[in-house]
Amino acid sequence: MEDIKKNLETVRGKIREAAEVCGRNEEEVLLVAVSKTRDPEEINTAINAGVTDIGENKVQEIMDKYDAIKPVKWHMIGHLQTNKVKYIIDKVDMIHSVDSMKLAKEIDKRAKAHDKVMDVLVQINPADEESKFGVSIDEAGDLVREILDSCENISIKGLMSVAPIVEDPRDVKPYFDGVKAKYDELSKISHPRLDFRYLSMGMSHDFPVAIEAGSNLVRVGSAIFGERDYAKYRREQEAKKNGNA
């Protein structure tokens, strides 16, 4: 678990350096530790080391870990199916992956039932990759406006994007720049349920580049917790299903 603390120090150092490059303060950048496949002990170690926000890709992992984790802000950062919204609407603080009106309306309905306004980010697919979710940069404005018109229990807090995976992280800066330009454009909309505070861009392999492009929320997993062992995770999940864990 000491590795997690050391890795956090390294990540924070890189955040500080990237912020300084573009004349910003590191405190302007929110670090969301992505705990996909990680167990509660590992996550709580990160929280003890100062992590305030946790991001999960899957609804089931939030459900499995929620009660075992120390007080923290939860972010749903992965693709969210409409039939799973009801399970996390009372658990997460922000949903990063809103990319359709169908999903927005379900979030709105479930939030209303819990008498809350859910903070969301609209997800953009900057390279229009078929393997990734999100709307195109050109479609983002229409989705933002339609959500504002139709969903009284949603507050739009900004944009999220996932850049293409490339060998040299600097090659993705044009995609980040494009999302930042759209963020600046849409932030000028005047509406009581639009409050652009977060530009969620950058993961373990490219977050310094994202920060230089204007990101103020980075989603970092393996650089904090180490490389994921998916085979081990699947074995543990199977054991739980069989009642052996």
Side-chain angles (χ1 to χ4, degrees), residues 5-215:
K5 296 177 182 178
K6 291 178 181 177
N7 291 343
L8 266 170
E9 291 176 3
T10 299
V11 168
R12 288 183 177 125
K14 290 181 178 179
I15 290 174
R16 181 169 55 254
E17 291 171 3
E20 288 175 352
V21 166
C22 52
R24 298 165 63 198
N25 190 311
E26 63 181 299
E27 294 180 0
E28 296 176 23
V29 182
L30 176 62
L31 172 62
V32 174
V34 180
S35 51
K36 180 181 178 181
T37 76
R38 303 302 175 178
D39 61 44
E41 184 180 6
E42 292 173 296
I43 300 169
N44 284 329
T45 295
I47 294 171
N48 288 338
V51 165
T52 58
D53 294 71
I54 292 291
E56 277 290 352
N57 291 72
K58 295 183 180 298
V59 167
Q60 190 59 52
E61 288 204 52
I62 294 175
M63 302 291 291
D64 290 344
K65 301 170 186 177
Y66 189 81
D67 290 334
I69 301 302
K70 294 185 174 186
V72 73
K73 290 182 178 179
W74 287 83
H75 298 248
M76 177 63 196
I77 64 174
H79 178 62
L80 180 58
Q81 296 175 302
T82 54
N83 64 344
K84 300 288 183 68
V85 173
K86 60 188 175 183
Y87 298 115
I88 62 163
I89 196 68
D90 61 335
K91 294 178 172 60
V92 303
D93 294 274
M94 189 156 67
I95 297 172
H96 289 224
S97 46
V98 176
D99 61 356
S100 71
M101 275 308 298
K102 180 182 178 182
L103 176 58
K105 287 181 177 179
E106 181 66 17
I107 293 170
D108 183 59
K109 181 179 80 171
R110 298 295 177 178
K112 184 176 182 179
H114 283 268
D115 193 26
K116 70 181 293 185
V117 176
M118 176 57 69
D119 291 344
V120 308
L121 304 180
V122 168
Q123 182 175 356
I124 288 180
N125 181 351
D128 295 327
E129 296 175 276
E130 292 184 4
S131 61
K132 289 188 173 75
F133 294 97
V135 296
S136 70
I137 289 178
D138 291 339
E139 295 170 331
D142 289 340
L143 180 56
V144 165
R145 292 179 177 88
E146 193 171 355
I147 292 172
L148 293 174
D149 288 342
S150 306
C151 302
E152 295 182 355
N153 289 78
I154 284 180
S155 177
I156 303 179
K157 296 297 184 182
L159 304 177
M160 182 271 263
S161 75
V162 180
I165 302 296
V166 295
E167 186 173 345
D168 183 353
R170 300 213 67 83
D171 289 342
V172 299
K173 190 171 183 296
Y175 296 108
F176 288 144
D177 289 340
V179 177
K180 176 61 163 63
K182 179 58 66 172
Y183 176 90
D184 290 341
E185 174 191 325
L186 296 178
S187 66
K188 297 175 183 176
I189 296 174
S190 178
H191 193 284
R193 285 182 288 101
L194 184 140
D195 180 17
F196 267 31
R197 296 186 182 185
Y198 299 110
L199 180 54
S200 174
M201 301 192 302
M203 300 188 294
S204 288
H205 61 287
D206 59 13
F207 71 86
V209 178
I211 292 171
E212 290 180 29
S215 172

